[in-house]
Structure formats: C-alpha cells, structure tokens
Amino acid sequence: MTDTPANQLIGRLFYQRSQRVRVMLAQLPFFLTVSLAALMIGILYPGLLSNSQLVVSLWLNGFLMLACLVVPWDKLHPASFLVIPYMDFFVVALFREGIQTLLSSAGMLALFPIFWICASCVAPKTAVATSTLASLLIIWNPVFQSGQVSADALIRPILFPFMMLAFAITVVVLTTSMEGQRNTLLDKDKLLRAALAESQHRELLLETVVDTVGVGVVVVDAHGHDRLMNSTQVAIHTLGRPLDIADPEEKELLLFTPDRVSLAPEARPVRRAINGESFTNYQIWIGTGEQARALSTTARIMRHDDGRSEGAVIAFHDVTDMVNALSAKDDFVANVSHEFRTPLTAIQSYIDLALEAPGLHPPEVGQYLKIADRNAERLGGLVGDLLATSSITVERTPTNMNRIVADSIASAAPGAAANSVAVDWQCEEPLLAMVDGVRISQVLDNLISNAVKYSPDGGTLTVRAWADGTDLRCRVSDTGLGMSCSEQAGVFQKFFRAGTAVERGIPGIGLGLMISKTIIDTHGGSLLLESQLGVGTTMSFVIPACVIDSSSTPKKVSPAGE
C-alpha cells in the first residue's frame, strides 16, 4: 500500500479520527441500507410494517446506531466496539424473517457486519469462525422456527454460509496485508519525520554556527548561484554594491586588487572557484572610500564521487586592520631608515677624511678606521635593505672567500672576546667564487654576529667554508642558546626575534636572517637552519655552480686568512 492521495484521504477521514467517530462511520452504511430497505417496504408494502420481527429489527438497528454515537468507546477496551457488528447479525436475521420472502437477498446484509468484524484485525481466525456461524444461524433460524428440521432443509441453503466464509477469509487476508503495509508505512513515516527533524536541527545548527563566526561564508552551486550566505557575508556583499544596482552579480561588485585596480571578472574569487580553482589567502579590496575593506579569500571545491564539481565554498576574512598595520609598520621602517642615512653619511665622510690623511693618526688607528669604514658601509647597505628588502640584487664578480671569511671573523672578534666565545674557522685557500662579495660578506657578518650574540654565556664559534665540486658551501655553528621548534618556524620572517633573545635583552631588529636568506635565494642557493634549545645553532648555505676552477693552484686550509 503506497502513500497515495486516496490512502492519505482515508487516513485523514477514518484512521486519524477518534474511536467513537470510527465506530459510527463503520456502522453507518449498514444502518442506512436497512433504513432505506424499510422505507421501500413501507411505501410498497405498508402492511408488512406490522410484523413484529421487522419492527424489532428496525428498532434494534436504530438503537445500535444511537449506541455508536453516545457510548464513550475511547474509554472502553479497544475491542469492545465488536459488540455492534455481532448485534447486527440479529438485525439481519429478524429483518430477513420480517419481510418473509419479499426480498430474497435480505440475507446479504450480513456482508456489512462480516466485513467490519474481519477487517478489524482483532482475532482474525475467531472473526472468520463467528462470521460463518452467524451466517448459518441466519439461514437456519426459519428451519428451526418451522419445527421441520431435516437434513435436506439444513443442507439446501448451505451455499450462503460458504459464500460468507469465503468473503470473510478474503477480507481477513486483504485487511491483514493492508494493515501490515499500513504499519510499515507508519513506521517509515516515523523514521522520515525523525530524519526530517534531525535534518532541520542540523540545518539550524549549521546556520547558527556559520552566522556566529566572524568570517563571511558563501556557498555556490556549479553555475555560481548562491545556496548559502551567512550574515557576515551579507554585510560584506553590501559594501561592494554599486549605488545604481540593487542586486548586483559578482562581476558588477566593486572589487579591486591590492593595488586598488579594478578586479577583472575572471580574477574574482567566486568566478575562480566556479572555474574549479582552490586557493588560499587571495587578497582583494571591496568597496570604495572610507568603507573599503581588505579581504583575504579562501575557496574549496565540492566534488561528486565521479569528480564533477558540485559547487564551491568561499570564505571572506576581513584583514583591513592587519593590512593597515603592516602598511604603518613599513612606513615607520622607511621613515626611520631615512633618518639613519643623514648621520650615517656624516660618519662615513669623516672616516674617509681620516683615512685620506694618514699622518693624523698612528698606523694601528688606520686599521681600526678601515674596519669602522667597512662596517659603516655595511650599515648603509642595511639601511637600504630596510627600505627595499624585496628588491635585493646581486652583481657576481670573482671573489676570494678566504678574505671575506677572515674579515667577518675580524669584525666579530671584539664581541666574541666580550662574550668569552672561542673562534675556530677554516677556509680552503684559494677559494674563488663568482658571487656578489659585498652581499656574501653581509650574510657571513649576520650569521657570525648572531652566533656571537646568542652565546652570551661563552662557548665555541665554528666557521667552515669549502668547495663541493662547483658548489660553494659554508657553515656557521655555535654552542649558544639555541631555539625551540616553534621559534625555528618563524626565524626567516621579517622582524622576528627569538623569545630567549628578548628575555635576555640581546639587541637586534630581526632583519638579519631574512635579508641573508633573500641574498642566498637571489644567488640561486639555499640557507638552512638546525637548532636545539640549550644546545646551539648551525646555519649553513650552499650556492651552486659558482666556484671558479683553481686546480692549478695548490690548496691549503687557512685559519687566519691573508
């Protein structure tokens, strides 16, 4: 039994009613049929209305209908209503005898109570047996009343009870089957209602969670139509709406690149996601004027098992404050760097004047002035790097790495002595490489000075430089403070400072390693870090295919340089 409109109508008009209404509706067809038959007899054969059996049957029929209406069946035993159809058999028997042979089919009225009893699904075997027995009594009642009981008289009308038996069995089978299917449907309906309630609960929970997060979320189908948009995204979407368009499409929204150039339709986040792209931290601007906001967008594609796109989820994170903070920091660094240049230029000028007049100072002071001049130049380069760390360029020339290592060690010697750091360095000699000598010197100065600074309790500084085929390798190791795993993850970031350095007040601005990595990367090499908290740190770099072949010159390891 499928849940068709007809079944829904039956359920609404009968099964969903109270017990009293169902009893009344079940008895009503029998009552109306008997009443209509009595009306026809009264019109055509009014003399029969004086028959006592007919009168009793009509009164009993009305009484049973009244009982259906007034008895509180809902408060009685669920099977108590069966008294009504069993009493209907008496109505049929009396009515059949009361009209004598006028209506030969009057016995067929027994079909009504038989159907009711057998369709009630209460003790179906008993219902079949009692219905058959009642049919027998209806046809044998005249025989017993006549007093002429014989086998022939009892067998002659026996076809009627057999018909009623077959009808009763058919009704029981069909009703049992239909009731089983109905119960199955009711169970499925309960499961579906529970699943629907759970689905609605999950949908409500999802909407609440999505509306709670401070990130704009929009879900689109494969054609770009919105399927879900949280309240944060609605507010963000409003910022990009042109004044003359009430409900703009994405291609009409006021979206811009980080440089505030209008974003092309194919470069817009939703369009990229619809085209099958997944991306992270794709930055755009939305809106104009003071209401403009910077957004970091992320998209992920939803796919079927067969790989077809079902749509995408795009998240919009407002990063305006962070972008403004970074811009303010860059402006601050640029302003400070410009302020550094004026006194630094004056220092370099006076050092140059002192070096140009060697008679003004002893020879050993001239050596100190040269070191000061070289570091002043490097400081000038650092100021330039603060202004444009992303535009570092290199100019490769044949460079004596032995001299560069020796100079860097000499520059770090005062700090090493102050921290009681023993220095051990070795470099192949000659070791010529096609690199930017100034930049590589800057890298070594950064690595060696860091090793000294981060060994405040003394230790050993080890520097090695050598050729590995045509690759240049260099390693700077210390036995100082070291770094934790979390600190190592951010060591090459701009302005990064290790926690131990901050706690101990070790000076620095957190640019050295970032600049060093940029220089090595620009050379096509790689800068690597190995560190263990409390044990020490090793920084090493390799620059491929830069060593100049000097096989004709015998090599030696120099611990002091030239």
Side-chain angles (χ1 to χ4, degrees):
M1 184 176 65
T2 58
D3 195 19
T4 62
N7 292 328
Q8 294 177 358
L9 179 62
I10 294 173
R12 186 168 61 254
L13 295 180
F14 186 80
Y15 289 107
Q16 297 176 11
R17 299 283 184 166
S18 65
Q19 181 77 335
R20 177 184 296 180
V21 174
R22 292 202 301 270
V23 171
M24 184 269 294
L25 291 176
Q27 177 66 7
L28 187 60
F30 178 80
F31 171 78
L32 293 177
T33 302
V34 172
S35 300
L36 181 60
L39 179 62
M40 293 175 59
I41 291 172
I43 295 174
L44 299 177
Y45 307 97
L48 289 178
L49 294 179
S50 59
N51 186 289
S52 60
Q53 291 184 345
L54 179 60
V55 173
V56 171
S57 68
L58 296 178
W59 276 104
L60 182 58
N61 183 48
F63 173 78
L64 293 177
M65 191 63 203
L66 181 63
C68 292
L69 296 174
V70 299
V71 173
W73 302 103
D74 301 275
K75 299 179 180 180
L76 302 178
H77 188 276
S80 59
F81 69 90
L82 290 177
V83 68
I84 300 296
Y86 280 116
M87 292 297 296
D88 285 342
F89 285 118
F90 289 98
V91 175
V92 174
L94 294 173
F95 187 82
R96 183 170 179 271
E97 289 301 314
I99 62 174
Q100 299 174 3
T101 59
L102 183 61
L103 291 176
S104 58
S105 60
M108 300 300 292
L109 291 172
L111 291 174
F112 289 101
I114 291 175
F115 180 82
W116 189 357
I117 293 171
C118 294
S120 66
C121 295
V122 177
K125 294 181 180 179
T126 303
V128 172
T130 54
S131 298
T132 305
L133 179 60
S135 301
L136 283 172
L137 294 177
I138 289 174
I139 62 170
W140 283 348
N141 180 51
V143 176
F144 291 129
Q145 287 185 357
S146 66
Q148 299 177 355
V149 179
S150 63
D152 181 66
L154 294 175
I155 293 174
R156 189 181 305 118
I158 202 67
L159 180 62
F160 178 76
F162 279 113
M163 292 173 57
M164 297 298 104
L165 173 63
F167 178 73
I169 293 174
T170 302
V171 172
V172 166
V173 171
L174 292 177
T175 304
T176 302
S177 175
M178 293 175 65
E179 186 65 18
Q181 295 181 23
R182 176 174 171 272
N183 291 333
T184 301
L185 286 176
L186 290 176
D187 292 339
K188 290 183 178 179
D189 182 67
K190 290 180 181 178
L191 293 176
L192 289 175
R193 290 180 183 275
L196 178 60
E198 179 66 18
S199 176
Q200 291 174 339
H201 173 71
R202 288 180 179 273
E203 182 179 359
L204 178 61
L205 178 62
L206 175 62
E207 291 179 354
T208 304
V209 170
V210 170
D211 280 335
T212 301
V213 298
V215 177
V217 177
V218 59
V219 181
V220 297
D221 59 22
H223 302 289
H225 301 133
D226 294 343
R227 295 173 57 184
L228 173 66
M229 182 183 295
N230 69 346
S231 56
T232 302
Q233 181 57 24
V234 172
I236 292 174
H237 190 273
T238 302
L239 295 176
R241 186 176 61 193
L243 296 177
D244 56 342
I245 302 178
D247 186 17
E249 298 180 1
E250 195 203 21
K251 64 181 180 181
E252 299 170 327
L253 291 175
L254 301 176
L255 299 181
F256 306 93
T257 66
D259 297 331
R260 305 300 181 92
V261 177
S262 182
L263 205 60
E266 293 302 317
R268 300 185 173 220
V270 175
R271 176 53 55 185
R272 289 182 61 186
I274 296 172
N275 291 338
E277 289 188 59
S278 293
F279 50 86
T280 301
N281 196 25
Y282 176 55
Q283 187 175 325
I284 63 172
W285 280 84
I286 186 169
T288 58
E290 295 181 355
Q291 292 185 339
R293 307 297 293 178
L295 303 176
S296 174
T297 63
T298 299
R300 293 295 181 269
I301 309 302
M302 299 183 295
R303 298 190 183 278
H304 291 283
D305 294 337
D306 58 2
R308 290 184 296 109
S309 173
E310 190 180 356
V313 180
I314 305 97
F316 296 79
H317 184 205
D318 189 337
V319 293
T320 307
D321 293 339
M322 183 180 69
V323 170
N324 290 338
L326 290 174
S327 178
K329 183 177 69 173
D330 290 341
D331 291 342
F332 171 77
V333 172
N335 292 333
V336 170
S337 300
H338 281 297
E339 294 298 325
F340 279 168
R341 279 192 167 179
T342 300
L344 184 58
T345 301
I347 292 173
Q348 287 179 306
S349 298
Y350 280 103
I351 291 176
D352 290 340
L353 290 174
L355 288 174
E356 291 174 358
L360 297 178
H361 50 76
E364 61 272 14
V365 174
Q367 183 66 22
Y368 299 152
L369 289 174
K370 290 180 181 179
I371 294 175
D373 182 57
R374 184 165 58 85
N375 283 280
E377 289 181 358
R378 291 176 182 174
L379 183 57
L382 178 60
V383 171
D385 292 337
L386 281 171
L387 293 172
T389 55
S390 62
S391 59
I392 291 177
T393 59
V394 297
E395 295 182 6
R396 293 175 181 259
T397 58
T399 302
N400 185 350
M401 288 299 302
N402 189 281
R403 171 60 65 184
I404 289 180
V405 174
D407 289 344
S408 295
I409 294 295
S411 297
N419 285 0
S420 300
V421 175
V423 179
D424 176 20
W425 70 278
Q426 292 181 0
C427 179
E428 292 180 357
E429 185 182 355
L431 180 56
L432 300 178
M434 286 294 294
V435 294
D436 188 323
V438 176
R439 293 298 189 185
I440 296 301
S441 179
Q442 185 178 353
V443 171
L444 282 172
D445 281 349
N446 283 331
L447 300 184
I448 292 173
S449 63
N450 279 348
V452 172
K453 284 193 301 182
Y454 293 113
S455 300
D457 302 324
T460 301
L461 168 64
T462 304
V463 180
R464 298 286 185 268
W466 70 97
D468 182 9
T470 59
D471 297 342
L472 172 65
R473 293 184 178 273
C474 186
R475 182 173 64 243
V476 178
S477 302
D478 65 67
T479 57
L481 299 176
M483 287 179 285
S484 65
C485 293
S486 59
E487 290 174 332
Q488 293 178 46
V491 72
F492 294 117
Q493 294 178 2
K494 197 173 184 180
F495 302 113
F496 172 81
R497 299 295 311 285
T500 51
V502 176
E503 291 173 2
R504 291 189 174 229
I506 298 174
I509 59 174
L511 281 175
L513 289 180
M514 188 276 294
I515 294 173
S516 298
K517 188 175 189 307
T518 303
I519 293 172
I520 298 300
D521 289 344
T522 307
H523 277 83
S526 58
L527 178 62
L528 303 177
L529 165 70
E530 296 178 15
S531 186
Q532 186 175 351
L533 189 63
V535 176
T537 300
T538 297
M539 301 293 300
S540 59
F541 67 82
V542 56
I543 300 177
C546 69
V547 174
I548 299 174
D549 184 14
S550 57
S551 58
S552 60
T553 304
K555 293 186 178 181
K556 64 178 180 179
V557 176
S558 174
E562 298 180 1

